[in-house]
Amino acid sequence: MIRQKLATLVTQALERARGASVLLSETLPPVTIGIPAHEEHGDFSCNVAMQLAKAEKKAPRQVAELLIAHLDDSAGLLARTEIAGPGFINFFIAPAAWQACLPVIDAAGEHYGQTSSGQGRKAQVEFVSANPTGPLHIGHGRGAAIGDVLCRLLAASGWQVTREFYYNDAGAQISNLALSVQARCRGIEPNDPRWPADGYQGDYITEVATAYLAGETVLADDQQVTASGDPDDLDAIRRFAVAALRREQDQDLQAFDVRFDHYFLESSLYSDGKVDAAVNKIITNGHTYEQEGALWLRTTDFGDDKDRVMRKTDGGYTYFVPDVAYHLDKWQRGFVRVVNEQGADHHSTITRVRAGLQALHAGIPQGWPEYVLHQMVTVMRDGEEVKISKRAGSYVTLRDLIDEVGRDATRFFFVMRKPDSQLVFDIDLAKQQSLDNPVYYIQYAHARICSIFENAAEKGIAVPASADSSLLARLETPEELRLIKALDALPDIVDEAARDFEPHRIVYYLNDLAGQFHSYYNKTKVITDDREVSEVRLYLLAVTRLVLRNALRLLGVSAPDKM
């Protein structure tokens, strides 16, 4: 809020200086307001004078002086300005301007932190997109948390967001699933020579087989499938197994507070003829050739290091081809922005999918769609890596973590590092009820404020519903102004996190805000003999509680009143 006001102030000063022929540049650079590394250098800084110096044929400090001379701060935003170093302009915000932020935040309520930068445009985020061949593992869990928070951030910054799950319900892995369940139906164990070579061996396969033989009915994504119970009907087994595991994945995601607006089946791309149509269009456009019985796409026409096979000698398509058809479908659905959140192992497909889309000549922009790739997760307990689940047999499931440490800690830990950084998930730390646990540290700030309000009520002091400028002026200590500054930053953080696909910035923000609050509370007596001071400090904490709650909601993490 203050940052945006300052950017406007500086932009107007530039235009005013040019209008007075003090600046001669025809094109003015966009104004970027930064935050100095050290508090003594001001609340904000700007390097626009350095950007203009060469064109103006002046020293950067001279340009800075001209700019400052044309600032119109009639609203009283600034306490003072300073020129530092080679030409940075440092801005010190007036205490009254910080204090005036609180009623604005309070009035926005649960909408505080939201912006309009997306302008209501359509965006789609595809995430998780797990093969329905087993329970969701921790990699899926990290993708689910990152994808869900990205959706929340894009929506908060003004985008119209659709959440989509792409089911790979066709191909060799589904065949292996069906064969594995069939083997269990026939009483064959994994150590039996008759067990499928690439079969799945977790206990969940036995559970699916038992349900199939019992003739159970499962409901997945509004599709009801009833088992025939016939162990020789492989197609029926496949349909039931896919539905059963889709239902289980849906239940895990619901427990993780992750929802989707649309489910897309890979099989529909074939049944609806969309894969063949896309391939034929690329052939017609002249971007393919045949060699050694295979059909090749000239991906080198679009920046790839070598051409790629589209259709193999056996007539089957390679794995990236249905992805091209799928993303053409997304484009045709009108999504201006498409973001795919996937594991880092999908990196090799990005260039091929984008090349295929360009080869369609469908007006799709280069660099579309966008990708967020997350790195692997290592789960630790008692200083040792946890590698397998009792039920899944070969990996740690998402449900394992939710059951052991809770949804809040699981979500928080999955997004607390940059997606492309490897993540160590420390179960012992996640379960700690102490300030060493980062999610506890932040949630405790919210609960602590609730406790302060209870204490104040017992002493007959209520949190004021509003505060005027004379009352707000009593918030004058450095700790109070720092806390307000942190509260004011949320909309900027939301925009930046959404723009750069970096949900961990909300974690960093919350950690800083909670730290500012805990520091303030440890140094400042909220309930004092001065009733007016007590009330305005309670008002400050009420706004702090509001912002903590709003930012935690962006992570899908609760804000408890008691801990």
Side-chain angles (χ1 to χ4, degrees), residues 262-276:
H262 189 244
Y263 293 87
F264 195 104
L265 300 181
E266 180 187 5
S267 58
S268 71
L269 294 169
Y270 294 94
S271 61
D272 295 344
K274 293 182 178 181
V275 175
D276 287 338

Side-chain angles (χ1 to χ4, degrees), residues 453-513:
F453 291 166
E454 289 182 1
N455 184 39
E458 291 173 359
K459 296 180 178 180
I461 304 175
V463 181
S466 61
D468 59 23
S469 58
S470 63
L471 185 61
L472 291 170
R474 303 298 298 272
L475 297 171
E476 55 189 359
T477 69
E479 291 77 19
E480 287 165 340
L481 295 176
R482 287 191 197 103
L483 181 54
I484 297 172
K485 181 178 179 180
L487 298 172
D488 178 73
L490 180 59
D492 294 330
I493 299 296
V494 169
D495 262 349
E496 292 169 359
R499 179 195 66 203
D500 298 332
F501 304 145
E502 294 186 339
H504 66 282
R505 292 195 189 189
I506 303 300
V507 173
Y508 291 0
Y509 170 78
L510 276 164
N511 188 65
D512 176 66
L513 178 58

Side-chain angles (χ1 to χ4, degrees), residues 76-153:
L77 185 68
L78 301 173
R80 69 181 193 277
T81 59
E82 292 179 354
I83 301 174
F88 284 101
I89 305 174
N90 292 336
F91 300 95
F92 296 79
I93 303 301
W98 286 126
Q99 294 155 2
C101 292
L102 294 179
V104 177
I105 297 172
D106 189 26
E110 65 179 18
H111 300 293
Y112 179 69
Q114 298 177 10
T115 76
S116 59
S117 58
Q119 299 177 337
R121 290 171 291 173
K122 291 179 66 175
Q124 185 229 48
V125 181
E126 179 210 332
F127 59 112
V128 183
S129 295
N131 294 332
T133 55
L136 296 176
H137 56 61
I138 54 173
H140 296 137
R142 190 179 190 192
I146 292 171
D148 182 65
V149 177
L150 284 175
C151 290
R152 292 169 187 252
L153 287 169

Side-chain angles (χ1 to χ4, degrees), residues 237-250:
I237 291 173
R238 176 186 56 78
R239 288 192 299 271
F240 181 81
V242 168
L245 289 169
R246 284 182 60 190
R247 178 184 64 178
E248 176 168 338
Q249 290 180 355
D250 289 346

Side-chain angles (χ1 to χ4, degrees), residues 12 85 135 138 165 293 521:
Q12 290 173 345
I138 54 173
F165 191 121
Y521 181 74

Side-chain angles (χ1 to χ4, degrees), residues 216-236:
E216 292 186 8
T217 297
V218 296
L219 180 67
D221 186 27
D222 297 328
Q223 294 182 354
Q224 184 170 289
V225 178
T226 300
S228 70
D230 180 359
D232 296 324
D233 190 341
L234 190 61
D235 285 341

